[in-house]
Amino acid sequence: DGGITQSPKYLFRKEGQNVTLSCEQNLNHDAMYWYRQDPGQGLRLIYYSQIVNDFQKGDIAEGYSVSREKKESFPLTVTSAQKNPTAFYLCASSVVQGDQPQHFGDGTRLSIL
Amino acid sequence: GDSVTQMEGPVTLSEEAFLTINCTYTATGYPSLFWYVQYPGEGLQLLLKATKADDKGSNKGFEATYRKETTSFHLEKGSVQVSDSAVYFCALTYSSASKIIFGSGTRLSIRP
């Protein structure tokens, strides 16, 4: 079955450390997205990409970085510059045509040690 | 700019009660509207959608009608079950857009 796989499900980061969250999709979607969700809050867009080797900042890109070297993969790095990284991170994908729904992975929960 | 406003939760109902979760939107054009559902510890799943005025989206007993005159897309279900306990997000996007605008989510809890 096609879908989006996020790994790991739980991740712990030490102070000053960079960590990378994985997102892989086999839906043949061109567009991919990263969101941050805080407890009791909605989704905030971190980065998105509509095509390989291109990506745009979302609403809260500071302290994060991404790459899009393959259509299937859109990893997110949470850098040490992100001072409050504890959150639930969701990856999504869609066809490029904007009024199509996004498909979501099951998320990665990042905590600070 | 465009935005989505949902009723604040949590909403707590007894099993078999009637459910309404309000959603209103502000849009400069003619967006498509969605309801997503998020079960605990999981990602979001598309529940239903409507792409033009007066369209009714439906799935799993849930319904929502795209009301252009009131800029609303309220989610309804005639008889809720404990398994419907989740967070529900209303959202909008455009055919020309590269992003979806989400509401803040409404947590629904159903008592047996």
Side-chain angles (χ1 to χ4, degrees):
Chain A
D1 287 340
I4 298 179
T5 301
Q6 290 188 242
S7 61
K9 192 166 179 67
Y10 299 95
L11 187 58
F12 298 91
R13 193 191 92 169
K14 294 181 180 179
E15 295 283 350
Q17 200 178 46
N18 292 354
V19 290
T20 298
L21 284 60
S22 171
C23 178
E24 303 278 333
Q25 55 100 357
N26 61 2
L27 298 166
N28 200 33
H29 286 166
D30 285 303
M32 296 187 75
Y33 310 82
W34 273 106
Y35 294 92
R36 171 180 171 140
Q37 186 177 27
D38 293 283
Q41 304 293 314
L43 280 69
R44 292 186 288 171
L45 183 64
I46 304 172
Y47 269 98
Y48 63 102
S49 166
Q50 291 190 288
I51 194 169
V52 173
N53 292 322
D54 189 39
F55 47 84
Q56 285 76 42
K57 293 182 179 180
D59 301 318
I60 56 164
E62 186 173 349
Y64 300 97
S65 66
V66 293
S67 63
R68 187 86 188 276
E69 296 176 2
K70 298 187 299 182
K71 185 176 183 178
E72 306 79 29
S73 178
F74 191 42
L76 173 74
T77 296
V78 183
T79 75
S80 56
Q82 172 49 246
K83 296 307 178 188
N84 185 23
T86 298
F88 190 51
Y89 291 88
L90 286 164
C91 179
S93 71
S94 71
V95 299
V96 172
Q97 187 180 355
D99 62 356
Q100 297 303 307
Q102 293 182 1
H103 298 254
F104 284 80
D106 282 339
T108 293
R109 189 167 300 280
L110 175 62
S111 302
I112 299 303
L113 291 176
Chain B
D2 299 334
S3 65
V4 175
T5 302
Q6 294 182 230
M7 64 188 292
E8 286 195 22
V11 174
T12 303
L13 297 172
S14 297
E15 207 166 19
E16 299 184 4
F18 184 86
L19 168 70
T20 300
I21 299 178
N22 289 339
C23 171
T24 57
Y25 65 90
T26 302
T28 52
Y30 302 98
S32 295
L33 301 174
F34 305 92
W35 276 101
Y36 285 84
V37 59
Q38 183 180 31
Y39 298 102
E42 297 184 7
L44 279 67
Q45 302 173 27
L46 179 67
L47 182 59
L48 53 84
K49 72 173 188 178
T51 57
K52 60 183 188 298
D54 300 325
D55 268 2
K56 177 186 283 188
S58 61
N59 186 25
K60 299 181 182 180
F62 291 90
E63 294 183 339
T65 301
Y66 190 141
R67 302 283 188 200
K68 184 167 174 286
E69 62 277 10
T70 55
T71 62
S72 64
F73 193 54
H74 304 321
L75 183 68
E76 297 181 335
K77 186 175 185 183
S79 176
V80 292
Q81 306 301 313
V82 172
S83 57
D84 294 326
S85 299
V87 180
Y88 292 81
F89 291 91
C90 186
L92 70 81
T93 191
Y94 298 91
S95 59
S96 58
S98 53
K99 299 184 286 185
I100 286 183
I101 297 171
F102 286 93
S104 57
T106 301
R107 181 174 300 277
L108 173 65
S109 295
I110 306 300
R111 293 187 298 251

